Amino acid sequence: MSSQQKHRIPVPDGLRDVLLEFSIAYLLEQPGDVIDYAVEFFSKLQENRKTTMITAAEPSSPDESIMSHEEEPLVNRYASRRKSVFAETYDPENDDDDDGARAIFPKTDEQRSRLCDSVKNILLFRSLDKEQMNEVLDAMFEKKVKAKDYIIKQGDDGDNFYVIESGIYKAYVGEDQKHIHTYDNSGSFGELALLYNMPRAATIQAETDGQLWAMDRQTFRRILLKSAFRKRKMYEALLDAVPMLKTLQSYERMNLADALIPKTFAKGERIIKQGDAADGMYFIEDGKVSIRIQQDAGEVEISNLEKGQYFGELALVTHRPRAASAYAADNVKVAFLDVDAFERLLGPCMDLMKRNIGDYESQLVKIFGSKNNISDIR
């Protein structure tokens, strides 16, 4: 027996379960600060235990009961229910099986188009890249329902996650089956029972004939948790290569990685337009980006950016319209950080970015001759 094996400390099952619950909630919610989030999560878990709540509490609003795609934090919805028991734990870090467990349900072009329209606004899928989104589309299968059919029943084990394509569905909770919410031809439900191995917290019944798309528990957990894990690892490596972010603590870079959204642009496609309001900034994962400024004679290229560089931060720092346009010089992959996340997560880098404005102006003066020639740009 090696010394490493001799001194290995066993991890109690209870500790493993609690930490896994926290990790799942954190990866899906992607909060701004991991420490603040942990304090809130475990405080609510402790409060839940003190009240000895054995069964799911009756929710005060639809968002707290039926695991819809609304944007209330998952931990808030979860904390009011009983502690889950993990019968099927999933560890994304140790899952090396990329294709073996993949579920594929063939679809016609018309079916796939309808499914794309149904899932495009689902919060849980917003951070998936194109390849991961295709895996989601492959894994979902059609479920036609008739009026008065029960889709899920409160207290049952979770089997599938559902996305609504058409139809009206009502949600009920409690022994008296109190009506708490109506889905009208859009929405999704059923995710938390799958993620946490919890019993269903509500009953969903079809009010009319309709069409659902469903994904089984194992595939749902693997796609979402593994994609969240991979996304963080990939973006942590990308951010580590950005000099400006060296001032951030490691957990701050981790939070930043969780907030990034993948986007792709084809060669020649415009990414941002001079004069537009700023919606966020971009970190280049792959490819080259041409930065251009509009002048009387046409657009003039002022710089060419590559992997590891970033753009779009100037308008966020100055709170002014875009000072230049950005184009994909070839096929480009970027990580997008929206304006809210920028203001929340990049405070420690703000002074450095403001200093970079001076460098930017100096560069323009070299190109255009004087500040008078660039005054209308900014």
Side-chain angles (χ1 to χ4, degrees):
M1 181 182 295
S2 68
S3 60
Q4 184 177 4
Q5 290 174 319
K6 184 185 295 185
H7 296 292
R8 181 176 296 167
I9 301 174
V11 179
D13 290 340
L15 176 61
R16 183 184 295 109
D17 290 348
V18 169
L19 292 178
L20 185 55
E21 291 180 33
F22 170 74
S23 299
I24 290 171
Y26 180 87
L27 287 172
L28 292 178
E29 180 58 25
Q30 300 182 8
D33 186 282
V34 65
I35 303 301
D36 290 343
Y37 187 77
V39 170
E40 180 185 11
F41 182 92
F42 289 109
S43 295
K44 287 182 180 293
L45 204 60
Q46 183 182 48
E47 179 183 348
N48 182 44
R49 184 175 65 176
K50 285 180 179 179
T51 58
T52 62
M53 189 175 292
I54 304 302
T55 56
E58 180 169 314
S60 59
S61 70
D63 293 325
E64 294 178 351
S65 62
I66 48 181
M67 296 81 75
S68 75
H69 66 288
E70 301 299 325
E71 300 204 20
E72 181 181 356
L74 288 172
V75 65
N76 291 346
R77 284 183 263 148
Y78 170 69
S80 64
R81 302 192 183 91
R82 68 183 181 182
K83 181 181 182 296
S84 61
V85 178
F86 275 79
E88 304 171 11
T89 58
Y90 173 72
D91 181 0
E93 187 169 13
N94 293 323
D95 182 5
D96 296 324
D97 186 5
D98 289 330
D99 299 311
R102 182 170 177 175
I104 299 178
F105 294 90
K107 300 173 182 65
T108 64
D109 291 343
E110 186 266 340
Q111 286 177 311
R112 201 171 185 87
S113 177
R114 291 187 352 246
L115 178 55
C116 285
D117 289 339
S118 297
V119 304
K120 64 184 179 182
N121 293 320
I122 301 300
L123 174 64
L124 289 168
F125 298 149
R126 285 184 190 172
S127 65
L128 300 183
D129 60 26
K130 185 176 180 180
E131 181 179 347
Q132 293 163 341
M133 197 65 207
N134 282 333
E135 190 173 354
V136 166
L137 300 180
D138 287 341
M140 302 198 81
F141 56 92
E142 280 190 297
K143 181 178 176 69
K144 295 182 179 180
V145 299
K146 299 292 186 181
K148 305 307 178 183
D149 281 354
Y150 286 95
I151 314 306
I152 62 178
K153 291 186 178 181
Q154 184 174 345
D156 285 355
D157 289 336
D159 53 356
N160 295 318
F161 165 69
Y162 296 97
V163 175
I164 298 170
E165 178 179 315
S166 64
I168 298 175
Y169 305 83
K170 290 190 174 182
Y172 305 90
V173 298
E175 293 182 1
D176 59 351
Q177 288 295 279
K178 177 183 177 182
H179 174 235
I180 58 166
H181 186 63
T182 298
Y183 290 98
D184 189 352
N185 288 284
S186 65
S188 64
F189 51 84
E191 67 267 24
L192 289 190
L194 307 189
L195 289 169
Y196 295 112
N197 286 345
M198 297 166 57
R200 296 295 195 186
T203 293
I204 306 290
Q205 185 179 25
E207 186 74 8
T208 65
D209 292 355
Q211 169 75 41
L212 297 169
W213 293 98
M215 182 190 298
D216 69 81
R217 175 207 302 260
Q218 182 180 2
T219 304
F220 176 82
R221 295 175 73 190
R222 179 177 56 81
I223 290 176
L224 263 71
L225 296 184
K226 191 166 187 177
S227 67
F229 177 78
R230 282 179 167 177
K231 172 176 174 275
R232 169 179 284 184
K233 290 299 182 184
M234 177 181 69
Y235 285 156
E236 281 181 343
L238 173 67
L239 297 176
D240 282 344
V242 178
M244 176 187 72
L245 302 180
K246 297 298 184 183
T247 59
L248 296 179
Q249 300 294 324
S250 60
Y251 79 89
E252 291 174 321
R253 282 199 297 273
M254 186 168 60
N255 290 340
L256 180 57
D258 287 339
L260 294 174
I261 300 171
K263 292 190 176 187
T264 58
F265 297 90
K267 182 177 181 179
E269 189 174 356
R270 186 170 59 198
I271 303 171
I272 61 176
K273 181 182 178 182
Q274 182 177 336
D276 281 357
D279 57 349
M281 69 175 295
Y282 300 79
F283 297 89
I284 303 174
E285 291 183 59
D286 192 36
K288 295 182 179 180
V289 173
S290 172
I291 306 299
R292 306 173 192 174
I293 286 181
Q294 182 67 44
Q295 294 290 285
D296 293 339
E299 287 188 322
V300 177
E301 183 176 271
I302 61 169
S303 65
N304 206 288
L305 307 178
E306 300 181 346
K307 178 178 179 179
Q309 295 182 286
Y310 56 90
F311 60 95
E313 84 288 357
L314 178 64
L316 300 180
V317 174
T318 62
H319 301 287
R320 294 178 178 177
R322 296 291 192 190
S325 297
Y327 293 85
D330 47 26
N331 293 333
V332 170
K333 290 180 65 177
V334 298
F336 175 72
L337 183 70
D338 68 43
V339 61
D340 291 336
F342 173 88
E343 293 175 351
R344 187 177 73 246
L345 299 174
L346 288 185
C349 302
M350 198 62 69
D351 288 342
L352 181 58
M353 284 187 281
K354 287 179 179 178
R355 289 199 299 270
N356 287 345
I357 294 176
D359 296 337
Y360 174 79
E361 288 183 337
S362 298
Q363 183 181 13
L364 292 181
V365 168
K366 289 180 181 178
I367 295 172
F368 297 108
S370 74
K371 286 191 175 183
N372 292 333
N373 293 332
I374 62 171
S375 58
D376 60 338
I377 294 174
R378 301 186 60 247

